[in-house]
Amino acid sequence: MDRDNHFDFFHYDKCDLCGECFYRCQYLKFNKKTAVEEMKKLIEGKPSKVLKKCISCNACNNFCPHGCRPYELITRRWHKRYRRNGLPVRAEYLMPSTTSNFRTDMVNRMSKREQELVETWYKTPPEGELVLYPGCNTLALPHLLDASFMEGVVIAGDWQHCCGEMFFRMGLYDEVKRTAEKLTGYYEDKSIGTMLFPCPACLNMFTNVLPEQFGAEFKFKTKYLGTYLLEKIEAGEIRIDREFNQKVTLHDSCHARILGEEVMEGARQILEYTGVEILEMELNKEEGLCCGIAAGANRYSPFDIVFSSFKELWQGQKTGAREFALYCGGCNITFNLCRWFFPTRQPIRHLLDYLKEACGESGYNPSQKRSKFMLFNILVKSFPRLLSNKTFWISRG
Ligand code: SF4
Ligand code: SF4
C-alpha cells in the first residue's frame, strides 16, 4: 500500500471500490471493470493506465459518491515525481512563481488605463467590508473589472500573492503548502469582511483546498463575484440597458464543478439577464470538459494542452451557437491561446464582458489580441527548451 501519510488526502476507509470515479471520467473511457481494477492499482501504489491518461480535470472527485478524493491519489504520484525529478525547464516561463512569466509580461502590452488599474490594485491595501482578489488571470486582463458594477468594492491584489492553483493541479504539494503559509501570514492582520473572487479557481483554493488540505487560516468569508453580481441585478442595483438576443454556448470551469450549482447556475442566470439564449454543449456542467490547461500537468506537454482545448472548442462549435462564453479567467486565456490553432468562428467572451456591455459600458475586449503576444512569448521563451533535459525545482527545502 502507498501509505506514508505525507500529503495523503485520499479517504481509504470510505472507498468501496465502486469504480464510479474513473468510469464517469470523460477522458479515461474505462468500462466499470477496468475502472475498479485501475483504482485498486492506484491504491496499492502500482503503475496504472490512469496515470498516463488523466488530464487533471478534477472531475472524479465530484463523481465519487463518498467524497474519497480519488483525484488526489493521482496528483500525489505527481507530487512524488516532482520531488524526485523537478520540472522540465520548458515549464519555467509558465510558472506563477517566475518573476517574469507569460502573464506578468502582458503588462507592457496593456492600454494605459489597464496599466493604471493593475498599479492601483497592487498598491491598495486589502482592507474593507468587501474586498476583491483579482488573481493572476484577471491581472492579465484587468479590463474585466473596469466596470461601474464594481463600485463599492476594494480591488486589491498582485502577482506575488497567487492562490497556488497551478501548483495544486500539477501535484506540487510542497509549493501549495508554502502558498498556504504565505497567504495566511499576509492576510493575518488585514481586516476583511468578505473576499470576492471573479475566478472559480481562486475561490476554490481559498475556500476549500488551502484551508482544508494545506492548513491555511483565513478570517474572512469567501464569495463568488458572480453570486454578488446576481444579487445586485435581482435587487435592481445593476441595470441592464441592452439585451443581446443571440445564442451562445457556455463552458464551465473545472473548479466550478467542484463549487457546484451556485457558480455554474449563477453564471447562467447572469448571462440570461443579458438576453442571451444558452445552447448547452452535449457534455456540460459536471460532465463537461476542461479548457485544456490542466492537461499540461501530466506530461508537461504543450501539445496535450492544445489537443485537450480543441476537444472543448469542438463541443462548443457543434452547438451552432454564435459565441463561446465562459466565466473563468484561466479558461479565457487558454481558449484564446489555443484558438489560434483551431478554426472556430465563435468569438470567445467572458461573462463580465457580456455584463459590462449589457450595462451600456465599453465593449473593449483585448483578450484575443493579447493572447497573440502571449503565444509569441511562450514560443520564444519555452519552445526552444522543449528538447532540453534540464530540470528545476521552484523552491527546495
Ligand atoms: S482528474 Fe479528470 S481526467 Fe483525471 S481521472 Fe479524474 S476525471 Fe479523469
Ligand atoms: S474513490 Fe469513490 S468513486 Fe472511486 S472507487 Fe472509491 S468510492 Fe468509488
Side-chain angles (χ1 to χ4, degrees), residues 297-331:
N298 192 337
R299 297 188 297 178
Y300 315 127
S301 161
F303 304 106
D304 289 347
I305 296 176
V306 172
F307 287 122
S308 185
S309 192
F310 285 179
K311 284 188 184 160
E312 180 65 339
L313 286 169
W314 174 235
Q315 285 275 318
Q317 185 109 312
K318 280 197 299 181
T319 63
R322 186 138 169 238
E323 298 192 349
F324 189 104
L326 40 72
Y327 49 84
C328 166
C331 303

Side-chain angles (χ1 to χ4, degrees), residues 7-34:
F7 292 130
D8 196 356
F9 303 118
F10 184 71
H11 295 287
Y12 298 87
D13 50 332
K14 292 192 203 162
C15 176
D16 60 7
L17 290 174
C18 65
E20 194 66 11
C21 48
F22 297 153
Y23 174 62
R24 284 181 66 188
C25 168
Q26 297 295 336
Y27 297 92
L28 298 177
K29 309 273 183 221
F30 287 168
N31 59 32
K32 211 49 181 284
K33 185 168 169 276
T34 311

Side-chain angles (χ1 to χ4, degrees), residues 10-11 14-22 35-36 39 43 60-61 63-71 73:
F10 184 71
H11 295 287
K14 292 192 203 162
C15 176
D16 60 7
L17 290 174
C18 65
E20 194 66 11
C21 48
F22 297 153
V36 173
M39 175 47 86
I43 289 177
C60 44
N61 273 2
F63 300 149
C64 173
H66 306 304
C68 295
R69 295 192 196 275
Y71 173 65
L73 265 187

Side-chain angles (χ1 to χ4, degrees), residues 191-321:
S191 173
I192 301 169
T194 299
M195 186 81 96
L196 297 175
F197 295 88
C199 186
C202 308
L203 175 63
N204 191 33
M205 290 301 288
F206 272 84
T207 309
N208 300 314
V209 178
L210 294 174
E212 288 173 14
Q213 294 172 244
F214 294 91
E217 288 180 34
F218 304 120
K219 289 185 221 126
F220 48 79
K221 291 188 220 125
T222 58
K223 190 170 188 170
Y224 174 46
L225 174 66
T227 307
Y228 166 80
L229 294 174
L230 192 57
E231 285 165 3
K232 302 250 305 175
I233 293 170
E234 286 172 346
E237 292 168 33
I238 294 178
R239 255 197 45 217
I240 308 281
D241 291 329
R242 186 194 148 186
E243 293 208 344
F244 287 100
N245 294 321
Q246 60 177 280
K247 293 175 178 164
V248 306
T249 190
L250 179 65
H251 165 79
D252 289 295
S253 90
C254 297
H255 288 276
R257 287 185 249 286
I258 301 292
L259 293 161
E261 284 295 302
E262 180 184 334
V263 175
M264 293 190 289
E265 206 39 57
R268 281 165 175 75
Q269 284 179 32
I270 294 176
L271 268 181
E272 280 162 6
Y273 271 114
T274 70
V276 304
E277 182 189 342
I278 299 171
L279 301 185
E280 294 287 359
M281 297 182 205
E282 193 184 325
L283 299 171
N284 62 65
K285 289 194 169 176
E286 286 81 3
E287 312 285 343
L289 301 183
C290 170
C291 68
I293 190 66
N298 192 337
R299 297 188 297 178
Y300 315 127
S301 161
F303 304 106
D304 289 347
I305 296 176
V306 172
F307 287 122
S308 185
S309 192
F310 285 179
K311 284 188 184 160
E312 180 65 339
L313 286 169
W314 174 235
Q315 285 275 318
Q317 185 109 312
K318 280 197 299 181
T319 63

